[in-house]
Amino acid sequence: MAPVREDPAGRRCFSNGHAPTGCKDAQVTALLNWAAFEQTLTDALTTAVRSVITTHRDEQFYAAALAGIYREQNALIALPTLGLNSIQALSKHPVEDQPDLRWSVLDWEHVDDDWLPDARSWEQALTAEACRDTTAHWESTFQRYLMLLVRVCQAVRRRSQDLLILVLDDEHHELLIRDTLTPSDVRRYFPELDVRAAEAAQVAALPGDTRAAYYVSRLDSFDSEEAESALRRLGPAAVPALVEMLAVSQQAWQAAKLLGEIGQADDSVVRALDAALTRCSGPDQAWIASALSFLGRLDLVFSKRNQLPHDVVVTAICAPYTSFRNYTLAPRPLDYRPLEEVFEHHPGYAAALAEELAPGRGHCDLSPAEAAEANRALTSSHPAVRRHAALCLEALHR
C-alpha cells in the first residue's frame, strides 16, 4: 500500500503522488448493492486465481492476496491489487531477502490490477457510498469493505483447496490476517503475530509511564498506528514521554500531534510546545503550532508569527476547525470567535485562511451541543466562516 501521511490540517494524501478519484468524481445515484458486490468479487477472484494457476502449472503457488488498497479519508476507496506468488518465484531471490518478500505482494511475480471486470464502476459506487455522510460513515463503510474482502478470500479459498488466500494491508495487518485465516494457519504462516500478542500482554501489565515509553519507541516502526492509538488511550499518562519526544528532530511532529489529540493543556505541555516552536522547522514546526492552537494557545503562535513561515501560522489558525479535531479524546468546544478575530485584525491572512477552510479541504465533525455556535457563525461577517459553519451543520444533520 502507498504510504499515507496527514498534514497538520488533518487531510490525508498518498506520498507516491497517486491522484485518486475523489467523492465529487464518484456521483452514483444508486446505493451500493453490497451483496452483488461481494458475489462479483468472489467470482472474479476465483476466475483470476484459477487462470494464473492453470497458465503456470509448473509452479507451486503458496498464496494469493488482495493488497494495495488505496484510500483517502472522505474520498477515494479503491479496489485492491491481486497478487499470486509461488515457491519457485520466491526462490529466485537471495535467501536473506525471502522473509520480507514472502508477503510483499507488489514484489510478487504475478500481480494484476485488472482482475475485476467493470472495476471502475464498482470503485465509484463504493466511494460514493462512503462519502454520502459524515467522516464516521466513511470509516464504517471502509471497515465494512475490509470485512467483505475477508469473506471473499475465505469463499475463494474453499473453492481453491490448499491455496492460501488472504487480505494484506499495512494499517490493519494483524486484524485482517487473524480474521481471514484459521488460528492454525496464523501459527504456521505468521508466527510473529503470536509473539507480538504475548508481548502486548506483557506491556499491558506495565505501569502507565513505562507503557508510554514503550509505545513511543514503536512510533517509528511497522506498527506505528497501533502505537499512536495506544498512546491516545493512555491519555495523560503518555504526556511526559511525548514531551520528551519534542526534542527529537523529525519525530517532534508526531509527539505534538498526539499531545494535541490527548488535549491536556497544562503548563508543562504548553511550555514544552512553546519552547519547541521556533527551535524546530518543517513538519515538526507546523504540528507544534497546530497543537498549541488546538490546546487554546494560538496566542503563543501569534506572539512569534514574525519568526514563523506564513503557512505555519495559517495552518495553526485553522487547526481547531479541521478534521484534526475528529481524532482527539475531548476536543475543546467549537468556537469561531478566534478565527473571526484573525479575519478582522490580521487581514493579511484572510486569503490563505479562506483557501485552507474551503470545501473539500477537511472540516471537523460537530456534536449536537456545538450546533448553536455553528448556527451563530452563519451570521458572521466573514464568508469563509459562514461557509465552514454551513458545511459542518450539513454534515451533522445528514
Side-chain angles (χ1 to χ4, degrees):
M1 171 184 165
V4 178
R5 67 181 189 274
E6 286 185 344
D7 65 16
R11 298 185 300 270
R12 291 189 174 187
C13 55
F14 297 115
S15 62
N16 69 344
H18 178 72
T21 300
C23 294
K24 292 181 180 178
D25 298 320
Q27 299 298 325
V28 179
T29 55
L31 294 177
L32 176 64
N33 185 329
W34 286 96
F37 187 33
E38 183 169 344
Q39 188 62 56
T40 299
L41 288 171
T42 302
D43 293 341
L45 183 57
T46 300
T47 299
V49 167
R50 287 178 177 173
S51 176
V52 173
I53 293 174
T54 301
T55 304
H56 302 274
R57 294 182 183 276
D58 56 333
E59 296 186 54
Q60 183 181 352
F61 288 88
Y62 64 86
L66 298 177
I69 306 171
Y70 292 107
R71 67 269 197 173
E72 184 176 355
Q73 190 181 64
N74 294 324
L76 171 75
I77 300 179
L79 294 168
T81 292
L82 168 63
L84 285 89
N85 211 35
S86 65
I87 293 173
Q88 290 81 3
L90 188 63
S91 66
K92 295 178 183 178
H93 298 277
V95 173
E96 62 271 18
D97 295 338
Q98 290 180 19
D100 290 335
L101 295 174
R102 178 176 291 275
W103 304 113
S104 180
V105 174
L106 297 183
D107 293 310
W108 286 0
E109 193 160 285
H110 305 283
V111 179
D112 186 1
D113 291 324
D114 301 317
W115 60 276
L116 179 66
D118 201 19
R120 180 166 174 78
S121 293
W122 285 111
E123 188 173 275
Q124 287 181 324
L126 175 62
T127 298
E129 167 59 31
C131 293
R132 68 179 176 83
D133 209 324
T134 62
T135 297
H137 178 76
W138 187 97
E139 295 283 2
S140 66
T141 300
F142 183 68
Q143 293 301 318
R144 183 176 181 180
Y145 171 52
L146 291 180
M147 291 304 100
L148 181 149
L149 294 178
V150 165
R151 294 194 301 274
V152 166
C153 287
Q154 291 172 333
V156 176
R157 187 179 184 187
R158 288 193 293 270
R159 300 177 182 183
S160 305
Q161 301 303 320
D162 294 333
L163 184 65
L164 202 67
I165 302 178
L166 65 164
V167 187
L168 295 174
D169 181 77
D170 287 350
E171 183 179 353
H172 303 285
H173 180 71
E174 181 172 354
L175 174 67
L176 290 172
I177 288 171
R178 291 192 182 279
D179 281 348
T180 308
L181 303 182
T182 65
S184 61
D185 283 337
V186 174
R187 286 192 296 272
R188 178 180 177 185
Y189 297 104
F190 297 93
E192 70 278 4
L193 296 184
D194 285 338
V195 173
R196 284 180 55 194
E199 181 180 323
Q202 292 176 339
V203 172
L206 296 173
D209 57 345
T210 310
R211 266 186 289 158
Y214 168 81
Y215 287 122
V216 164
S217 73
R218 304 297 296 171
L219 285 173
D220 197 28
S221 68
F222 177 80
D223 53 355
S224 62
E225 294 216 15
E226 180 182 326
E228 281 195 19
S229 296
L231 287 164
R232 278 192 291 268
R233 290 194 299 271
L234 278 171
V239 166
L242 293 171
V243 166
E244 287 186 18
M245 191 179 169
L246 288 173
V248 183
S249 177
Q250 298 184 6
Q251 294 183 31
W253 72 270
Q254 206 164 17
K257 175 176 178 288
L258 286 163
L259 287 168
E261 290 171 344
I262 291 171
Q264 180 173 309
D266 61 21
D267 287 345
S268 64
V269 173
V270 171
R271 280 199 305 270
L273 288 167
D274 187 35
L277 181 57
T278 51
R279 185 182 69 237
C280 296
S281 61
D284 287 346
Q285 187 177 65
W287 274 108
I288 289 167
S290 293
L292 280 168
S293 176
F294 203 80
L295 294 175
R297 298 308 308 267
L298 180 62
D299 61 306
L300 294 176
V301 178
F302 252 77
S303 71
K304 298 179 178 179
R305 65 185 183 277
N306 292 332
Q307 304 171 57
L308 300 172
H310 186 269
D311 63 324
V312 168
V313 179
V314 169
T315 297
I317 296 167
C318 295
Y321 311 101
T322 66
S323 54
F324 172 51
R325 185 176 189 268
N326 301 339
Y327 296 93
T328 61
L329 297 180
R332 297 171 64 84
L334 180 71
D335 184 2
Y336 281 106
R337 287 172 297 179
L339 178 62
E340 292 173 306
E341 289 174 5
V342 175
F343 273 110
E344 290 166 10
H345 301 298
H346 303 279
Y349 292 106
L353 291 175
E355 182 179 353
E356 191 74 8
L357 295 170
R361 301 299 295 270
H363 60 272
C364 57
D365 292 340
L366 305 185
S367 68
E370 294 172 315
E373 171 61 7
N375 277 306
R376 182 201 66 78
L378 294 178
T379 65
S380 173
S381 60
H382 307 288
V385 175
R386 296 197 303 268
R387 182 179 60 198
H388 187 275
L391 287 170
C392 292
L393 285 168
E394 180 185 2
L396 176 64
H397 294 306
R398 281 175 184 164

